[in-house]
Amino acid sequence: MYAASNISFHAREKRILQEVSIALQPRTFTAVVGPNGAGKSSLLKAMAYEQQRFQGEVMINGRNVKSFRPKELSRVRAVLPQSTTMQFAFTVNQIVLMGRHAHLTTKRENDSIVEEVLHLTDIAHLKERNYLTLSGGEKQRVQLARVLTQVWEETVYPRYILLDEPTSSLDIAQQQNIFSLAKVVCERNIGVMAIIHDLNQAVQFADHIHFMRDGKIVAAGEAQSVFTKTNIEETFCCSVNIYHDPCNNCPYIIPERSLKQNPGLLSKVVTNA
Amino acid sequence: MNIAISLRDYRQVVIITGLSFCLLVVTLYSLTVGAVFIPVTDVAVILLQKLGLFTSVEVDNMHVVVLNSIRIPRIVMTMLIGAALGISGAALQGLFRNPLVEPSLIGVSGGSAAAVVVLIVFGSSLALPDSGLLRDSVLSLVAFGGGLLATLLVLGMSKQGGRTNISVLVLIGVAINAMSWAIIGLAIFYADENQLRAFTFWTLGDLGGASWDKLSIAAPVLVLSSVLLLFYARSLNALALGEAEAYHLGVDTERTKRIVILLSALAVGISVSLAGMISFVGLVVPHVIRVLFFPDNRLVLPASILCGALLLIIGDLIARTMVSPAELPIGVVTALIGAPFFIGLLLKAKQKNEL
């Protein structure tokens, strides 16, 4: 289990996180949703122990994150950022292989892991390509492959992947692609946590959803049971209607037009014009 | 798959071997050239005699003296400085994830030069002798101290909540450099003719002052700092993804930053103390390697050592022969050959979309 308990974090006078607790289970996809500035990324950074100045405790597989050395930490958790910019013309293969940086496996084992992951993420044909010349979607799949490579080999302990809005600049097919892959790899005794902006994707892929607002978790639980009109409207301050997919009964939302909510808006626009 | 991987390793071995061979040839050639021409066979015999071989072969005694006390120390110093500048440039570019970085950025060259210039101009009032070993060693020590002080200032001021903020560091480096140049300008203002001449040598580089005495302390430090930097190749590769990403991959980023910066400051500070400021080697050499071959630091770092040494020896050869018996400042030569070559590479890389 990857458990954060009572995480609080202040930046100057502003409280970014207030007593946030969240637990990730292996073989489970956990989504964190919430408006901009809710503290989702801060929570992820604290859990990854990239941000080290928080109150509270983060335990990975029963061991305090503070007692891990960076190398040890990298063998149990990997992080995929929103996007990665590079200055130097590394090849796809070199970048994916970097996932094995802290591992003690042999070159042959590393190569076969990379090969497997390149095929899974469908970028084997890009292997010798210069990363700088790839499209946004291809770049993000390379980074996902690097992250998967880091926690790929089966171990006695569960591993975890943290995804920070991994699809924010991708088209819809690439988005589905990235989340489907993240969902599938849960089967390798991996726990996944993803910050997701698209609520319909969150409920489609996640087993658990945590709603965050103003540095607190306001609702959390099994995905379909917490995906309610009240939770969503209270978290995002936006009226929505919930419908159900006639094929698989998966819920989805359509936000209401905000003009109806805020009749004053139209009059402001018109008078100013 | 395995073929592609081993091909890459194979390429690495070929490149390193090729560069080493070029370095050997250029070094041997460079040893033959000077006021007295020494045939390459004599050079080879004299070098091998040092290893206890061919001791029965007779060589001109004057050749032995010229090589031993003038040319060999000079070429060893040139080689070590070129290597140190090359690898510190490569390591710092990797660390800052910025191909435009060069060692002067962390303040080390400016700090060294400022300290030296102040000593040259105001040294007479401190009872510093005009020449001799004492003066040389004091100047070297001061150059190194000034460089280290500037680097520590830059490093210390760019700390933010226990971490080194790279963009703050770059800006503070710019400010510290500006301050160093202001100090240099102020010293020039008070300098007399002779001091101005000495100062020119320091800011444009001068490899003429090589001696075994100077090398006895400097050489081990240069070799050690360059070799230690080689161990950071894989961490620097991971840092190419970004600082947070490298940390996620298991790199102790704070430690890596501190050690790479300090080792580079050591290498560059010692170089400046031996031969003044030699521009462009640290900037150009790693670029050449990346554009001609590939950007994996496991190649770039060792190849920068060889290529830096190669470039500086060729530069020194030109500086010694172009206007002989006088000498051009080495910094002028490295910039004159480095800059057009660099521009050519950049244009080529721009076309191939590799920047």
Side-chain angles (χ1 to χ4, degrees), chain B residues 112-155:
Chain B
S112 300
V116 164
V117 170
V118 167
L119 195 72
I120 290 175
V121 175
F122 302 109
S124 50
S125 51
L126 299 169
L128 187 75
D130 284 339
S131 59
L133 185 62
L134 177 66
R135 183 189 165 88
D136 284 347
S137 31
V138 169
L139 277 182
S140 297
L141 218 65
V142 164
F144 170 61
L148 194 67
L149 180 72
T151 307
L152 290 178
L153 271 177
V154 171
L155 209 55

Side-chain angles (χ1 to χ4, degrees), chain B residues 114 117-118 121-122 182-192 195-196:
Chain B
V117 170
V118 167
V121 175
F122 302 109
I183 293 172
I184 293 172
L186 201 64
I188 292 177
F189 186 72
Y190 287 106
D192 61 32
Q195 290 167 339
L196 271 181

Side-chain angles (χ1 to χ4, degrees), chain B residues 58-339:
Chain B
E58 287 280 322
V59 276
D60 187 338
N61 200 39
M62 189 187 66
H63 287 178
V64 178
V65 174
V66 168
L67 269 189
N68 276 344
S69 54
I70 302 174
R71 292 205 193 150
I72 295 179
R74 181 171 183 143
I75 215 117
V76 167
M77 186 173 97
T78 308
M79 201 187 281
L80 289 177
I81 290 176
L85 292 176
I87 195 174
S88 356
L92 290 173
Q93 287 177 1
L95 187 71
F96 293 112
R97 317 203 307 124
N98 187 333
L100 294 177
V101 164
E102 64 158 349
S104 65
L105 194 88
I106 52 171
V108 55
S109 342
S112 300
V116 164
V117 170
V118 167
L119 195 72
I120 290 175
V121 175
F122 302 109
S124 50
S125 51
L126 299 169
L128 187 75
D130 284 339
S131 59
L133 185 62
L134 177 66
R135 183 189 165 88
D136 284 347
S137 31
V138 169
L139 277 182
S140 297
L141 218 65
V142 164
F144 170 61
L148 194 67
L149 180 72
T151 307
L152 290 178
L153 271 177
V154 171
L155 209 55
M157 282 195 279
S158 50
K159 282 258 185 257
Q160 187 182 37
R163 289 185 176 208
T164 314
N165 183 329
I166 294 283
S167 31
V168 175
L169 186 142
V170 170
L171 290 172
I172 291 192
V174 169
I176 293 281
N177 266 329
M179 215 126 81
S180 306
W181 280 103
I183 293 172
I184 293 172
L186 201 64
I188 292 177
F189 186 72
Y190 287 106
D192 61 32
E193 283 294 314
N194 281 339
Q195 290 167 339
L196 271 181
R197 190 153 182 82
F199 162 75
T200 313
F201 275 113
W202 275 90
T203 47
L204 293 175
D206 176 18
L207 292 163
S211 68
W212 290 117
D213 282 340
K214 277 192 188 172
L215 282 173
S216 59
I217 306 170
V221 181
L222 285 177
V223 170
L224 192 72
S225 49
S226 302
V227 169
L228 286 178
L229 278 173
L230 285 177
F231 287 96
Y232 286 86
R234 287 183 75 236
S235 298
L236 289 172
N237 276 351
L239 270 162
L241 292 164
E243 234 182 285
E245 286 82 350
Y247 177 74
H248 297 147
L249 283 174
V251 176
D252 192 339
T253 46
E254 277 310 304
R255 209 179 112 92
T256 305
K257 271 190 277 187
R258 269 200 310 272
I259 294 182
V260 167
I261 290 179
L262 283 177
L263 286 175
S264 305
L266 199 62
V268 177
I270 293 281
S271 301
V272 173
S273 77
L274 285 175
M277 288 167 90
I278 299 173
S279 58
F280 243 62
V281 178
L283 178 68
V284 174
V285 164
H287 261 287
V288 174
I289 311 285
R290 270 189 223 106
V291 174
L292 286 184
F293 309 116
F294 46 91
D296 187 330
N297 284 302
R298 281 171 295 181
L299 171 78
V300 175
L301 294 190
S304 292
I305 287 189
L306 296 171
C307 203
L310 194 62
L311 178 65
L312 208 57
I313 289 177
I314 294 174
D316 185 45
L317 199 60
I318 295 171
R320 283 193 289 145
T321 50
M322 280 266 284
V323 291
S324 81
E327 265 184 38
L328 286 173
I330 179 70
V332 171
V333 179
T334 52
L336 271 182
I337 46 175

